Amino acid sequence: MGWTHRRLAKGLLFWPALLGFAFLGPRSRLCRMGLAGSSGETLSYQDEDYWEQRYKTGDKGANPDRIDDRGIGWLCGYKGPLQETLQAITAGDRSKVILNVGCGLDRLSPEIYADGYTNLLSSDISAHAIAEMQKSTAEDMPMAKWLVDDIMDMSVPSESVDIVVDKGTLDALLIRPQPFSCAAKALREIQRALKVGGIYLMITHGRGDPDAWRLPLLAMPHLSFNVAKTPDMGGFFIFVCTKLPSDSGDAEEAWRKAEEWARERDQEDQEAEFAAIDDVGQ
Ligand SMILES: C[S@@+](CC[C@H](N)C(=O)[O-])C[C@H]1O[C@@H](n2cnc3c(N)ncnc32)[C@H](O)[C@@H]1O
């Protein structure tokens, strides 16, 4: 597949300027999109209940722009690079425990299940999406589990999962307020849920330079991943992150440093955003 392999030394990468640029572009465009909430106010991607509202109403935020999220989903379907990657990392072992975080109404979980991976747990922050998926797949996916869960504070037991699949979910957190702090929490939870040697598959969009705005997140001090990345697969990349055995260092101290790093990046991001707003206003 010609992947770029790189072992990330903790704290090796530090590219605040590039990160600021990378997040500002998509985020400042996206937060202008809004949808009318139940109380009449305008909601945007920045709102906590954005996804619940969107899945309930089919309104994606730029009125009257309606969408049916039951289609192909975000970034890619299962067949092609994603299926090939899953086949390669499981060596065809269909007993692996897979967790699809932020599954939404996408067809990915049904397709993974139909491919024989029946030890499948799918979660999302949206209760509406989970209820709908559970109902619509009850007959075809009897062994599947569905869970309303926040990726930043998961109820999944530690070291219980072989593979975490994330298609566009970290991307979605990165357009929320305090994107770096959100990412730090989500990645901590993913690492916790994975068995040692387990793999986090991050499928992420191809805007900007993913080396510049995803690798620093994966190199935060509290994380211990070996990272490989596909080339551009047609507007998306797959990061294959293998959980390494934890070193004997102080986990709490590593988390404190990660929180501090994320807070500083969030602060820079805010300041850059205010500066951009000021520029527009002048
Ligand atoms: C860009 S969509 C991707 C959906 C689906 N994975 C796909 O590929 O079509 C992002 C998904 O992340 C979910 N999400 C957003 N914030 C979340 C959180 N804090 N915890 C869990 N899921 C979240 C949303 O409800 C939504 O389903």
Side-chain angles (χ1 to χ4, degrees):
M1 238 175 175
W3 292 359
T4 310
H5 287 261
R6 67 171 52 75
R7 174 80 182 260
L8 291 175
K10 287 183 181 174
L12 188 68
L13 302 165
F14 188 72
W15 302 319
L18 285 168
L19 281 162
F21 167 79
F23 286 123
L24 261 182
R27 199 147 77 91
S28 50
R29 272 199 309 280
L30 288 166
C31 63
R32 279 197 290 272
M33 298 166 67
L35 74 92
S38 47
S39 55
E41 78 281 20
T42 299
L43 293 176
S44 82
Y45 277 109
Q46 300 243 304
D47 293 306
E48 224 162 90
D49 61 347
Y50 171 82
W51 291 100
E52 184 70 356
Q53 290 290 342
R54 171 170 169 153
Y55 289 138
K56 270 186 187 162
T57 63
D59 189 328
K60 75 173 192 177
N63 276 329
D65 198 359
R66 293 196 160 267
I67 189 161
D68 186 350
D69 283 298
R70 296 171 194 84
I72 188 174
W74 292 66
L75 304 171
C76 64
Y78 180 53
K79 294 217 158 51
L82 184 46
Q83 183 176 24
E84 286 159 22
T85 305
L86 201 54
Q87 171 69 26
I89 63 179
T90 60
D93 179 355
R94 298 300 198 263
S95 70
K96 294 288 185 193
V97 179
I98 299 180
L99 167 63
N100 180 14
V101 287
C103 59
L105 297 176
D106 188 27
R107 296 295 307 156
L108 182 61
S109 283
E111 287 180 6
I112 290 176
Y113 191 95
D115 197 16
Y117 297 98
T118 53
N119 266 329
L120 178 63
L121 172 63
S122 307
S123 68
D124 201 283
I125 193 93
S126 164
H128 182 90
I130 290 300
E132 184 171 325
M133 290 304 288
Q134 197 159 22
K135 192 167 169 207
S136 66
T137 62
E139 210 165 293
D140 296 337
M141 299 173 64
M143 288 160 70
K145 297 187 185 77
W146 301 92
L147 186 66
V148 179
D149 214 10
D150 183 345
I151 194 177
M152 294 185 281
D153 184 20
M154 294 201 282
S155 55
V156 178
S158 300
E159 308 212 340
S160 62
V161 174
D162 292 299
I163 295 156
V164 171
V165 178
D166 156 10
K167 186 157 72 73
T169 301
L170 194 75
D171 289 352
L173 286 187
L174 290 172
I175 50 176
R176 284 189 46 78
Q178 282 91 49
F180 292 87
S181 298
C182 287
K185 286 182 199 154
L187 291 167
R188 179 178 65 161
E189 281 296 89
I190 288 167
Q191 177 171 262
R192 181 187 63 73
L194 279 171
K195 299 173 186 172
V196 173
I199 292 178
Y200 167 43
L201 281 185
M202 185 216 293
I203 302 117
T204 180
H205 62 66
R207 289 192 294 273
D209 174 3
D211 282 355
W213 41 261
R214 290 294 181 268
L215 286 178
L217 300 176
L218 294 165
M220 276 189 268
H222 63 309
L223 302 175
S224 192
F225 286 122
N226 183 56
V227 180
K229 172 174 79 59
T230 65
D232 188 342
M233 306 307 283
F236 68 94
F237 297 80
I238 304 177
F239 283 76
V240 181
C241 314
T242 307
K243 176 174 168 176
L244 300 170
S246 64
D247 53 30
S248 49
D250 183 340
E252 276 185 24
E253 174 62 7
W255 172 240
R256 201 193 53 71
K257 283 186 185 154
E259 273 187 307
E260 193 181 317
W261 181 87
R263 225 181 355 256
E264 283 169 12
R265 302 290 84 70
D266 286 335
Q267 175 81 22
E268 287 167 8
D269 188 47
Q270 268 293 305
E271 284 163 9
E273 186 150 5
F274 288 146
I277 291 167
D278 276 352
D279 283 350
V280 173
Q282 278 165 4

